[in-house]
Amino acid sequence: MTYCVALRLRGGLVMLADTRTNAGVDNISTFRKLTVLEHPGERVVGIMTAGNLALSQAVVNMALEEGVSLHEGEPKETLHTVPSMVRAAQLMGQAVREIYRVDGPSLEAQAGDFNVSILLGGQIGNGRLRLFQIYAAGNYIEATEDTPYLQIGEHKYGKPIIDRAATFDTDVGDALKLALISMDSTMRSNLSVGMPIDLLVYRKDALSVGLSRRIKDDDVYFRGLRQSWSDALTRAYQAIPGPDWAF
């Protein structure tokens, strides 16, 4: 299991993913789930994955390196060459379908699920900054101004803070804090999500990565944020009057 969250805001994009994979209590490993493609001045694309690790890696490798023909007879494209983010989402969906064509029957024969989900965000050229979620069927949805964030993996514990506080007009710096609090809340409640966590911050129209960072257990800021959030929650609930009908 994993947890990935991305926010597409008026001012930019924040993407955050943990690195834990869990194939049982005695088989826990660390794998990077956030991949960043950057051609400065031309494109920045972030990819986050959840689900079956082998399938996720195969899809990302196909989209980045091997290439996919979106229509029969057309030359192959990769995320390095597609002309727009919509085309990137279509290509990623086609890569998912191609991996299903190859591996799906074998998985089904072993009673396995074709379990893969992807968050794809970024900007290409003078196109708009966009954020998509690609499903196991290869179809996708896009984040909107009404719902400016998307999540995959073990999302239920980190969703409330994003729901309550994030809007399309939220400052990128504030969104970064919200994403980190959302991740911390998830790690507190689910042991299948864990450190280190990988971060991408992209400012709209920059066409270069603003911040790419791996946050480890000993990160001073994250430790302080975790404690500050716990303290703030304690003060908040203690400050709320109890119901007049209690006791």
Side-chain angles (χ1 to χ4, degrees):
M1 186 54 73
T2 193
Y3 175 50
C4 304
V5 58
L7 299 98
R8 199 268 303 186
L9 312 160
R10 188 179 300 279
L13 176 72
V14 176
M15 303 182 78
L16 186 68
D18 89 313
T19 56
R20 181 164 293 178
T21 62
N22 181 8
V25 294
D26 59 348
N27 189 12
I28 295 175
S29 303
T30 297
F31 284 89
R32 186 176 179 90
K33 310 291 183 61
L34 169 62
T35 301
V36 180
L37 165 64
E38 179 186 25
H39 295 305
E42 198 269 328
R43 72 184 60 203
V44 172
V45 179
I47 310 162
M48 298 193 295
T49 61
N52 184 296
L53 182 62
L55 297 175
S56 299
Q57 289 183 340
V59 169
V60 172
N61 286 335
M62 179 168 284
L64 281 173
E65 305 297 338
E66 296 180 21
V68 180
S69 296
L70 291 177
H71 302 286
E72 187 175 352
E74 291 186 353
K76 290 184 177 181
E77 293 182 275
T78 70
L79 293 177
H80 296 271
T81 63
V82 289
S84 69
M85 284 302 299
V86 170
R87 190 77 166 177
Q90 293 170 346
L91 182 144
M92 187 65 73
Q94 185 63 22
V96 170
R97 287 188 286 268
E98 181 62 20
I99 296 301
Y100 177 79
R101 184 186 67 79
V102 174
D103 294 338
S106 297
L107 280 170
E108 292 168 0
Q110 298 295 323
D113 294 328
F114 189 83
N115 178 21
V116 61
S117 53
I118 299 165
L119 295 182
L120 176 77
Q123 188 173 15
I124 296 175
N126 58 5
R128 290 193 290 118
L129 174 63
R130 307 182 83 154
L131 172 64
F132 301 92
Q133 180 174 343
I134 295 94
Y135 296 98
N139 56 332
Y140 61 84
I141 62 171
E142 182 175 6
T144 66
E145 292 189 16
D146 292 326
T147 305
Y149 74 92
L150 296 170
Q151 300 168 289
I152 55 176
E154 185 55 88
H155 58 77
K156 59 181 177 290
Y157 301 107
K159 190 173 187 293
I161 178 61
I162 305 290
D163 275 341
R164 286 180 179 272
T167 72
F168 183 65
D169 291 312
T170 297
D171 176 75
V172 172
D174 288 337
L176 170 57
K177 289 188 290 184
L178 290 173
L180 291 170
I181 292 169
S182 176
M183 181 65 73
D184 178 58
S185 298
T186 302
M187 290 191 294
R188 288 274 183 137
S189 299
N190 192 316
L191 293 177
S192 69
V193 178
M195 302 288 276
I197 53 181
D198 291 314
L199 169 68
L200 168 67
V201 177
Y202 171 75
R203 296 280 182 176
K204 179 183 175 183
D205 297 329
L207 294 177
S208 63
V209 172
L211 174 64
S212 180
R213 182 179 179 86
R214 169 158 286 193
I215 300 171
K216 300 180 180 179
D217 284 310
D218 59 355
D219 187 272
V220 174
Y221 176 79
F222 187 75
R223 282 174 174 258
L225 176 137
R226 169 178 283 172
Q227 187 61 53
S228 295
W229 180 244
S230 295
D231 293 344
L233 285 176
T234 300
R235 290 193 300 270
Y237 93 79
Q238 290 176 342
I240 297 173
D244 56 11
W245 40 260
F247 312 108

